[in-house]
Amino acid sequence: SSSTYQHLWQIAPMIKSLDLSGNVMKTLPAEMMEFTKLKNLALSRCYIQRSRDMSTLPMLTNLRLDHNDFESHTLAPLPICLFKLDLSSNHFKEFPMEGLGALSLLVELKLTKNRITNLYGISCMESLELLVLDDNKLAGLPEELGALAHLRSLSVRRNLIGKTDPEQDGGQSINLAVFVATDLVAIDLDGNPLALSDVQAMDGVDDFMDRRKKVKDKSFSGGAATDMGVFGLE
């Protein structure tokens, strides 16, 4: 109700965690900028079509904007202090650079169930460790992903990744840099038109497997997983 919102806006500077999921708001209210001590914010399933520049919120580290109606050009700049961000189930057709371009501290990003066909601009996310791109329309993983030196876990299930990438002149669909220039130790390719043997034959995959084995050998569980378990393919 409007009275509930009015009370919420009045105490905004005191709130550190807020969940407004399920409330229809189309556009992010201007009053959201008053939550200057907010660390955790959930705005799932709010039918939001357009956001506001939230880069001035100084303490927000965890933000959920999943299950809304954002498109790549309607996502305004987000707080530069974010560590975790969920943008799953929106309408992005490309990597939303306008909103994410300044998020150099972001560690986890989820973009499941969009319609993303390319990742141009993603190299700006230099701190990223976990990236989820399930259920999109990617035909390959470009060289630009190799700029994410700290990336450890990558999930691209149910995309359009085949043996080769038509956008890379028919070269291998997973660029060499993804395997050799990152800290990647887990990659899930389940549900793509790609065979396990296709991945095993790619340049750079040996570097990935060696790095994964070293990580596994350091753990108490010991022993490297099978190739099938590594890639999610049969």
Side-chain angles (χ1 to χ4, degrees):
S1 67
S2 58
S3 60
T4 301
Y5 275 125
Q6 288 176 357
H7 176 67
L8 186 61
W9 306 145
Q10 290 173 358
I11 62 173
M14 303 167 56
I15 296 177
K16 294 183 178 180
S17 291
L18 179 63
D19 189 344
L20 290 174
S21 298
N23 289 280
V24 178
M25 53 183 72
K26 297 289 184 180
T27 300
L28 201 64
E31 289 86 353
M32 291 301 304
M33 302 308 105
E34 303 298 322
F35 290 84
T36 53
K37 293 186 178 179
L38 201 60
K39 292 184 177 181
N40 303 290
L41 175 60
L43 294 168
S44 309
R45 304 181 308 280
C46 291
Y47 299 93
I48 303 174
Q49 297 176 350
R50 185 173 295 274
S51 61
R52 297 177 184 273
D53 187 335
M54 299 174 69
S55 59
T56 55
L57 293 179
M59 301 182 71
L60 193 62
T61 57
N62 190 357
L63 176 60
R64 290 189 56 183
L65 290 172
D66 56 290
H67 294 84
N68 282 293
D69 294 320
F70 289 114
E71 297 182 31
S72 299
H73 65 284
T74 64
L75 185 67
L78 296 173
I80 59 175
C81 45
L82 279 179
F83 287 163
K84 297 181 180 181
L85 174 62
D86 191 345
L87 288 168
S88 300
S89 297
N90 279 282
H91 308 304
F92 302 121
K93 293 182 179 180
E94 56 192 19
F95 185 72
M97 265 297 295
E98 187 172 341
L100 307 186
L103 304 189
S104 60
L105 300 178
L106 198 69
V107 174
E108 295 185 9
L109 175 61
K110 296 178 181 179
L111 285 163
T112 299
K113 291 186 178 178
N114 281 280
R115 292 173 284 177
I116 297 172
T117 59
N118 68 75
L119 297 173
Y120 301 138
I122 198 169
S123 57
C124 66
M125 319 212 78
E126 55 193 46
S127 298
L128 209 59
E129 295 179 12
L130 181 148
L131 176 60
V132 183
L133 293 162
D134 299 342
D135 299 294
N136 279 285
K137 296 182 180 298
L138 294 167
L141 300 176
E143 182 179 8
E144 189 169 359
L145 266 181
L148 307 182
H150 301 290
L151 188 65
R152 293 178 57 82
S153 179
L154 174 62
S155 186
V156 280
R157 296 181 298 167
R158 297 177 298 278
N159 275 264
L160 304 175
I161 301 172
K163 183 177 180 179
T164 59
D165 184 353
E167 290 194 11
Q168 303 297 324
D169 297 322
Q172 66 183 45
S173 58
I174 303 175
N175 190 276
L176 169 71
V178 177
F179 290 126
V180 304
T182 67
D183 285 339
L184 202 63
V185 293
I187 178 170
D188 194 340
L189 297 162
D190 178 47
N192 285 280
L194 187 69
L196 176 59
S197 58
D198 295 333
V199 183
Q200 291 171 324
M202 290 183 181
D203 291 339
V205 76
D206 289 342
D207 291 60
F208 166 78
M209 293 302 294
D210 288 344
R211 183 169 57 250
R212 180 180 171 85
K213 185 177 185 302
K214 289 177 182 177
V215 171
K216 285 287 184 180
D217 287 348
K218 286 181 180 179
S219 70
F220 290 106
S221 58
T226 63
D227 288 355
M228 176 183 166
V230 173
F231 301 111
L233 299 170
E234 297 184 17

